[in-house]
Amino acid sequence: VLIGTQWGDEGKGKIIDVLTRNTDMVVRFQGGNNAGHTVEIGDQKYVLHLIPSGIFRKETMNIIGNGLVVDPVSLQEEMEGLLGRGIAVDNLELSDKAHLILPYHRLMDAFKEGQLAEGKKIGTTKRGIGPAYTDKADRCGIRALDMLDIDNFKNKFEEHTARYNRIFAAAGCAGVDVAAEWPKLRAAALYLQAYIKDTVLTVNRAAKAGKNILFEGAQGTLLDIDHGTYPFVTSSNTTSGGACTGSGISPRYISDVYGVIKAYTTRVGEGPFQTELFGTEGENLRKAGNEFGATTGRPRRCGWFDAVASRYSCMVNGVNKLAITKMDVLDNLPELKICIAYDIDGKRYTEMPSDSQLLYKVKPVYESHPGWMCSTCHACCWDDLPVNAQKYLKRLAELVDSGIGIISVGPKRAQTFEVNI
Ligand code: GDP
Ligand code: IMO
Ligand code: MG
């Protein structure tokens, strides 16, 4: 299983693409097209939202698991986008049990965000993620398998749109126009039908046959609906346990948990961010790391590495292999800081509090490390790294209580190497 240990955008897409060298199957298990996973191959850059990051290797099977919420029109667009760039998608399956994001979910997402006062907004991607998971939990969702019978799909879509439109009308806003939306949905359903499969069987058969399977997490641990900075989270379990429920695989099959972790911290959207840097400090990190959302283009908030939150995250996920990304972004900083504890109202915390309201009051307790002030982007092994970079990495691993398995020093496939620290 590979998950994000922070607030997303740790570089999961890149690391998955590298790991799929030795992988038979990649399985996404949660989230939807709120995700933006960037993969750079040669001079080509791809941003994936729903399709697993193993799609670039023909021999690797890619599964969109039952735990996702799938916008059918977006998925069709993403598949056609890849095909248009010469990437085949016949090695893709969509779980018949995945729930659909439909136009009323997107509208409801935007509507609810609009209703919230400043300070209460979540800053969602407005892709309809929360409302689609709400319908799933409320047992009134429409699933991928419903698209196999177009008349049935149309009936359900009309019925649920009418239900939502009554809510929108009561709030005095325009609802979903069935006549405008249905043709797009119908076309998407017909396009996707051939890919809709019982993926629980596909995954379990592969596991039983001893195939190497990588489960691809989206978002990050601190956005997990149970373990994140609630309510400023997404609506799914982004943590390693979600791989089992979101794909139908037994925990008995999971051998390793990769935790992708940025050498500093970023967050997109609202909510507490304990080590956030403002002014020129934050701006410099954003520029050096090119920290702009891969899905919404929003500038990412940037800050120092938070060892308190990351240790909590590694514990919840059972991370045994860290993949540390974006080391190169720190190359020109004379001094680096790591947050090792929180001061909240004069009391010292070394464990992450559950209450987001407390997290807003955090004064980070930092330890300082000298930078290395030279380029790491050509490093190919541990010994290529400057001593100060090695010390920083070792300290980071010690603080989060996990071993390092992979280091990434740039966005390209080749700018990655394995270590055993
Ligand atoms: P994901 O959502 O976790 O897959 O991450 P994103 O793709 O949203 O954001 C990570 C960004 O950092 C992408 O633009 C990647 O190309 C880039 N990236 C990944 N690893 C590295 C790295 O080690 N160094 C640098 N400079 N960029 C990286
Ligand atoms: P990847 O997979 C970073 C954030 C949104 C918002 C919150 C809830 O690329 O790491 P949602 O639309 O899910 O209801 O929004 O979660 N968010 C992400 N932030 N990376 C992501 O995905 C994210 N997916 C959702 O910004 O704060
Ligand atoms: Mg991303």
Side-chain angles (χ1 to χ4, degrees):
V1 180
L2 179 147
I3 49 83
T5 58
Q6 294 155 317
W7 277 291
D9 304 326
E10 297 88 352
K12 298 177 290 295
K14 179 207 149 150
I15 301 295
I16 291 164
D17 170 60
V18 170
L19 287 174
T20 46
R21 236 181 357 223
N22 314 310
T23 303
D24 301 301
M25 185 180 280
V26 181
V27 186
R28 261 284 297 270
F29 57 87
Q30 46 70 230
N33 59 338
N34 47 351
H37 297 175
T38 315
V39 177
E40 289 193 24
I41 304 170
D43 60 356
Q44 295 292 308
K45 179 171 166 173
Y46 304 89
V47 180
L48 299 167
H49 301 288
L50 280 163
I51 297 176
S53 306
I55 199 71
F56 304 101
R57 299 189 200 256
K58 275 205 294 286
E59 57 291 355
T60 305
M61 195 63 212
N62 288 270
I63 308 284
I64 298 177
N66 57 277
L68 278 87
V69 284
V70 174
D71 182 327
V73 176
S74 294
L75 179 55
Q76 181 189 1
E77 277 169 11
E78 196 173 328
M79 290 164 73
E80 286 178 338
L82 285 180
L83 280 167
R85 295 176 70 181
I87 309 290
V89 292
D90 42 359
N91 50 341
L92 180 72
E93 287 188 7
L94 164 63
S95 168
D96 53 1
K97 291 184 185 143
H99 278 251
L100 299 185
I101 300 183
L102 293 162
Y104 44 79
H105 293 129
R106 283 197 307 274
L107 198 58
M108 183 55 89
D109 194 351
F111 173 72
K112 285 181 81 176
E113 278 285 280
Q115 296 289 97
L116 291 171
E118 275 320 309
K120 299 245 157 117
K121 289 189 196 299
I122 295 164
T124 72
T125 58
K126 297 203 174 72
R127 299 295 191 268
I129 306 294
Y133 276 118
T134 301
D135 276 359
K136 174 179 176 176
D138 201 19
R139 295 152 297 180
C140 57
I142 302 181
R143 298 189 290 175
L145 61 86
D146 290 311
M147 293 195 293
L148 293 171
D149 174 345
I150 291 292
D151 291 334
N152 158 60
F153 182 36
K154 184 164 192 260
N155 287 339
K156 286 197 169 180
F157 172 61
E158 285 175 349
E159 183 192 320
H160 287 270
T161 303
R163 174 168 66 90
Y164 269 90
N165 278 354
R166 283 194 290 276
I167 302 171
F168 294 128
C173 64
V176 171
D177 180 351
V178 171
E181 298 296 339
W182 173 247
K184 288 182 267 176
L185 284 169
R186 182 177 185 278
L190 290 172
Y191 182 86
L192 295 174
Q193 277 176 351
Y195 299 89
I196 299 173
K197 298 277 157 58
D198 184 344
T199 57
V200 174
L201 289 181
T202 315
V203 176
N204 276 284
R205 282 178 184 148
K208 195 151 194 189
K211 302 282 185 198
N212 199 1
I213 308 178
L214 183 63
F215 294 88
E216 168 173 353
Q219 290 82 53
T221 302
L222 303 174
L223 289 170
D224 182 285
I225 183 87
D226 283 277
H227 301 290
T229 51
Y230 193 89
F232 304 99
V233 292
T234 190
S235 302
S236 61
N237 283 116
T238 59
T239 40
S240 56
C244 294
T245 49
S247 71
I249 194 83
S250 159
R252 282 197 298 118
Y253 281 114
I254 310 292
S255 53
D256 287 308
V257 181
Y258 285 91
V260 187
I261 197 159
K262 235 178 239 192
Y264 51 98
T265 314
T266 61
R267 174 165 205 169
V268 206
E270 305 302 322
F273 181 175
Q274 299 84 291
T275 58
E276 184 165 11
L277 291 171
F278 300 94
T280 48
E281 272 189 308
E283 193 54 44
N284 288 345
L285 214 42
R286 183 157 41 249
K287 269 200 202 124
N290 191 24
E291 296 292 0
F292 295 89
T295 295
T296 56
R298 291 177 288 177
R300 294 177 184 146
R301 300 153 69 191
C302 297
W304 294 121
F305 187 79
D306 182 343
V308 180
S310 299
R311 184 171 56 248
Y312 168 77
S313 175
C314 288
M315 175 185 76
V316 167
N317 289 295
V319 169
N320 63 328
K321 290 183 179 178
L322 289 171
I324 305 186
T325 59
K326 301 200 118 171
M327 272 302 282
D328 54 300
V329 174
L330 305 179
D331 282 350
N332 297 319
L333 295 175
E335 183 198 12
L336 307 171
K337 288 183 185 167
I338 299 179
C339 170
I340 51 161
Y342 299 154
D343 181 326
I344 305 174
D345 292 332
K347 194 173 154 205
R348 187 176 270 230
Y349 289 70
T350 52
E351 299 292 351
M352 172 112 168
S354 305
D355 185 353
S356 280
Q357 292 312 314
L358 285 184
L359 293 175
Y360 276 118
K361 298 190 196 172
V362 162
K363 289 199 187 89
V365 179
Y366 286 118
E367 65 177 29
S368 175
H369 293 260
W372 42 93
M373 301 299 283
C374 62
S375 172
T376 55
C377 69
H378 298 294
C380 297
C381 64
W382 179 256
D383 290 337
D384 286 348
L385 290 173
V387 173
N388 282 352
Q390 293 179 349
K391 283 188 183 160
Y392 181 78
L393 286 168
K394 278 189 173 162
R395 180 63 178 147
L396 211 144
E398 178 187 44
L399 285 167
V400 303
D401 197 20
S402 306
I404 311 177
I406 295 175
I407 292 172
S408 167
V409 291
K412 306 261 186 243
R413 268 182 182 170
Q415 291 173 301
T416 323
F417 51 89
E418 291 191 35
V419 294
N420 191 2
I421 304 291

